[in-house]
Amino acid sequence: MIRASTIADLHGSLAEARGHRVVIGFVPTMGALHRGHVSLVERARRDADLVVMSIFVNPRQFGPGEDFTRYPRPIKSDERIASECGVDVLFTPLTSQMYPAGPVVTISSGDVGARWDGKVRPGHFDGVLTVVAKLFNIVRPGFAVFGQKDLQQAALVSAMVRDIDMPLSVVVAPIVREADGLAMSSRNRFLTPVERLRALALSRALAAARSAYSDGQRDPRAIEAAGNAVLAGEPEVSVDYFAVVDRNTFESATGGPTEKWAAITAARVGKTRLIDNVLLSQADED
Ligand code: AMP
């Protein structure tokens, strides 16, 4: 008889019993692939025998009036990019297959999912967690890679995996940026050249927060003021929030040297809503 007293031991024993030898690394996306997505695949390839990517524009994470219908779906070029960067299995389910019936059970993102982006987009993170949980059950990966670009999403997925003991680990990979600092996003293609320039205010505001922190500023409100001052210089950029938060709980930072801070921001530039963030305290301070 095999005895297991930890979940890791149990999984190890069960994997052996099942004869699993293949580590699956999973990269869930909504497509319109760019170098940010490619970096997640590269990260997955480091530890996986098989890399699975999903492309699914999940209707349940879009609110009424959001950009679900106009979200880009360049499936042919996505297939090419995915195959070139080393995806082994590309999963592109139809909505009717993902949601054959109305929802009875959904995943609640709780308090953390009601803050910041969750406040501006009610129900968004419940939709995200529900589809991610479904995809985990469908793909059954050993680990999944998410981008720091969607920091609140990454924190919530990590919390879901921890709280309900999903049998996989979550890897969070760094943000890939354009040369001028703009965080890569599938939505950047909506920006006109003028808006594209204005959008740089987000990464500049975050850089200002980062340098305030590096210069020793530890008052979170003062760091927010440094970021907001940059954003105020671009009146055409309509700011949803710029905040210094604990990167796990997404509570507004209140001080204290051991907090794991991030500066997060979201803003609309024309019709396009962009989000970005920067980690303030680095891993070696955590
Ligand atoms: P999306 O297709 O926008 O839903 O994103 C799919 C995954 O790619 C998520 O885990 C995102 O956080 C990640 N991602 C999006 N943009 C970037 C980026 N610029 N750098 C790194 N990862 C990203």
Side-chain angles (χ1 to χ4, degrees):
M1 184 179 80
I2 297 167
R3 290 187 72 230
S5 56
T6 66
I7 295 174
D9 280 351
L10 178 73
H11 287 159
S13 308
L14 294 181
E16 218 166 279
R18 288 186 185 114
H20 285 184
R21 294 285 179 276
V22 176
V23 175
I24 296 178
F26 179 41
V27 180
T29 80
M30 298 206 302
L33 300 179
H34 49 70
R35 278 196 289 118
H37 298 112
V38 169
S39 75
L40 305 188
V41 173
E42 284 163 356
R43 176 62 190 81
R45 278 163 60 94
R46 266 174 37 199
D47 294 325
D49 301 307
L50 195 83
V51 176
V52 179
M53 172 187 275
S54 62
I55 296 182
F56 180 60
V57 185
N58 173 33
R60 298 230 182 125
Q61 69 189 68
F62 289 80
E66 289 187 356
D67 57 356
F68 174 69
T69 34
R70 77 165 188 149
Y71 199 85
R73 291 164 171 86
I75 188 62
K76 279 284 159 245
S77 67
D78 279 356
E79 275 172 16
R80 184 178 46 75
I81 294 168
S83 118
E84 282 172 6
C85 72
V87 170
D88 296 301
V89 179
L90 181 63
F91 178 52
T92 56
L94 292 174
T95 304
S96 57
Q97 179 151 58
M98 290 297 281
Y99 300 117
V104 175
V105 173
T106 56
I107 307 272
S108 163
S109 57
D111 290 347
V112 178
R115 300 188 177 121
W116 312 111
D117 248 43
K119 196 174 209 169
V120 182
R121 307 180 69 188
H124 169 66
F125 287 119
D126 291 3
V128 169
L129 291 187
T130 301
V131 80
V132 168
K134 286 167 70 71
L135 289 166
F136 285 173
N137 285 333
I138 293 165
V139 176
R140 290 191 268 161
F143 70 97
V145 189
F146 288 81
Q148 182 207 315
K149 163 75 170 33
D150 298 271
L151 190 66
Q152 195 172 359
Q153 167 177 284
L156 281 162
V157 170
S158 301
M160 171 177 74
V161 165
R162 180 199 64 210
D163 286 356
I164 61 173
D165 300 292
M166 289 180 145
L168 75 155
S169 49
V170 174
V171 175
V172 182
I175 302 176
V176 177
R177 298 180 179 281
E178 304 282 2
D180 58 9
L182 183 70
M184 290 199 176
S185 163
S186 302
R187 290 185 168 97
N188 288 352
R189 66 188 66 197
F190 293 138
L191 299 170
T192 65
V194 173
E195 289 171 346
R196 171 76 183 62
L197 280 175
R198 289 181 181 143
L200 292 176
L202 277 80
S203 51
R204 280 194 286 112
L206 292 165
R210 180 87 186 96
S211 73
Y213 184 88
S214 303
D215 291 347
Q217 181 57 262
R218 292 295 182 272
D219 173 357
R221 303 295 86 77
I223 298 172
E224 287 166 357
N228 276 318
V230 174
L231 289 167
E234 274 297 351
E236 301 297 321
V237 170
S238 165
V239 181
D240 282 341
Y241 57 80
F242 185 97
V244 176
V245 299
D246 178 286
R247 73 181 71 151
N248 296 315
T249 65
F250 277 74
E251 278 180 282
S252 197
T254 50
T258 60
E259 274 189 309
K260 298 171 173 59
W261 286 357
I264 58 170
T265 188
R268 274 161 290 123
V269 185
K271 285 198 184 109
T272 308
R273 187 169 183 278
L274 301 174
I275 61 172
D276 198 355
N277 68 83
V278 69
L279 304 182
L280 294 177
S281 50
Q282 291 299 305
D284 55 0
E285 291 176 53
D286 290 350

